[in-house]
């Protein structure tokens, strides 16, 4: 866990998340479930990737809706991003946060950046990246970015960013 945002998350929540960061691909839905957040796939319309709102059925709980028309890899990042809002900005969710395809919402850019950083840390934790990067080199994989993106079930663009490759 590399980003500073981890310090803002409760110890109990960090433990729940860390427990799920042992294998790739990280089971993001299991993390949401462990945190008590419901995830559903929905037709959110063009331009909307996801949203997090208080659950109407379970007061005090939250629900994440992801656009069912997005790719699985996009949906995984969206869930991780919305969980970032839950973990870091829960008190500011109010009636809900809707993120467009560029992960912009009514929240400030720095809050969106925080949610993106924690999402990347959750989906692509450093120890697993290091382990699988080493394995890719041992296997003499030609396209390490594609190999790792497939292993972690994330986009190549997300993996390039995570590896610090332009």
């Amino acid at each position: 866990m590399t980003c500073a945002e981890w310090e803002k998350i409760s110890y109990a929540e960090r433990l729940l998340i860390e427990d799920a960061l042992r294998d790739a691909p990280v089971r993001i839905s299991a993390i949401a479930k462990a945190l008590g957040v419901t995830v559903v796939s929905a037709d959110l319309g063009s331009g909307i990737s996801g949203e997090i709102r208080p659950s109407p059925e379970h007061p005090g709980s939250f629900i994440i809706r992801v656009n069912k028309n997005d790719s699985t890899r996009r949906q995984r990042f969206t869930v991780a991003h919305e969980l970032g809002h839950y973990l870091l900005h829960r008190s500011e969710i109010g009636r809900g946060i809707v993120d467009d395809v560029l992960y912009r919402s009514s929240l400030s850019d720095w809050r969106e950046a925080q949610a993106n950083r924690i999402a990347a840390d959750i989906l692509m934790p450093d120890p697993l990246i290091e382990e699988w990067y080493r394995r890719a080199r041992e296997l003499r994989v030609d396209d390490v970015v594609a190999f790792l993106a497939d292993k972690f079930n994330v986009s190549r663009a997300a993996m390039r960013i995570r590896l610090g490759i332009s």
Side-chain angles (χ1 to χ4, degrees):
M1 299 192 234
T2 59
C3 67
E5 284 73 23
W6 285 106
E7 296 304 315
K8 298 176 182 187
I9 297 171
S10 76
Y11 180 72
E13 288 174 332
R14 281 197 313 256
L15 285 178
L16 284 174
I17 295 166
E18 287 172 6
D19 191 49
L21 304 184
R22 299 177 197 270
D23 297 309
V26 170
R27 295 176 47 231
I28 193 66
S29 293
I31 293 172
K33 185 176 182 179
L35 292 170
V37 177
T38 302
V39 177
V40 297
S41 180
D43 189 352
L44 299 180
S46 171
I48 303 297
S49 289
E51 64 182 20
I52 184 166
R53 299 185 178 283
S55 172
E57 294 90 26
H58 303 98
S61 298
F62 289 83
I63 185 168
I64 292 172
R65 295 183 346 146
V66 294
N67 194 329
K68 70 179 184 179
N69 300 308
D70 286 347
S71 71
T72 300
R73 290 177 181 197
R74 176 75 177 195
Q75 289 180 34
R76 284 173 47 76
F77 194 87
T78 298
V79 171
H81 176 90
E82 299 304 338
L83 282 176
H85 284 311
Y86 171 79
L87 293 164
L88 300 168
H89 314 125
R90 197 172 317 165
S91 64
E92 299 174 55
I93 291 174
R95 293 178 51 202
I97 299 172
V98 176
D99 286 303
D100 68 14
V101 293
L102 298 176
Y103 296 109
R104 291 180 306 213
S105 71
S106 59
L107 292 181
S108 67
D109 289 341
W110 66 269
R111 287 185 185 92
E112 291 302 328
Q114 286 181 331
N116 281 339
R117 282 192 296 271
I118 202 104
D121 266 9
I122 289 171
L123 290 175
M124 300 170 280
D126 279 347
L128 285 177
I129 290 288
E130 291 168 9
E131 174 187 339
W132 283 98
Y133 189 88
R134 186 180 67 256
R135 288 185 188 186
R137 289 296 184 206
E138 289 170 0
L139 294 169
R140 297 192 171 133
V141 171
D142 288 331
D143 189 342
V144 174
V145 171
F147 175 82
L148 292 174
D150 289 346
K151 182 65 186 166
F152 286 82
N153 203 10
V154 297
S155 70
R156 290 180 186 194
M159 187 55 69
R160 276 199 281 300
I161 292 166
R162 189 66 170 156
L163 296 174
I165 301 170
S166 313

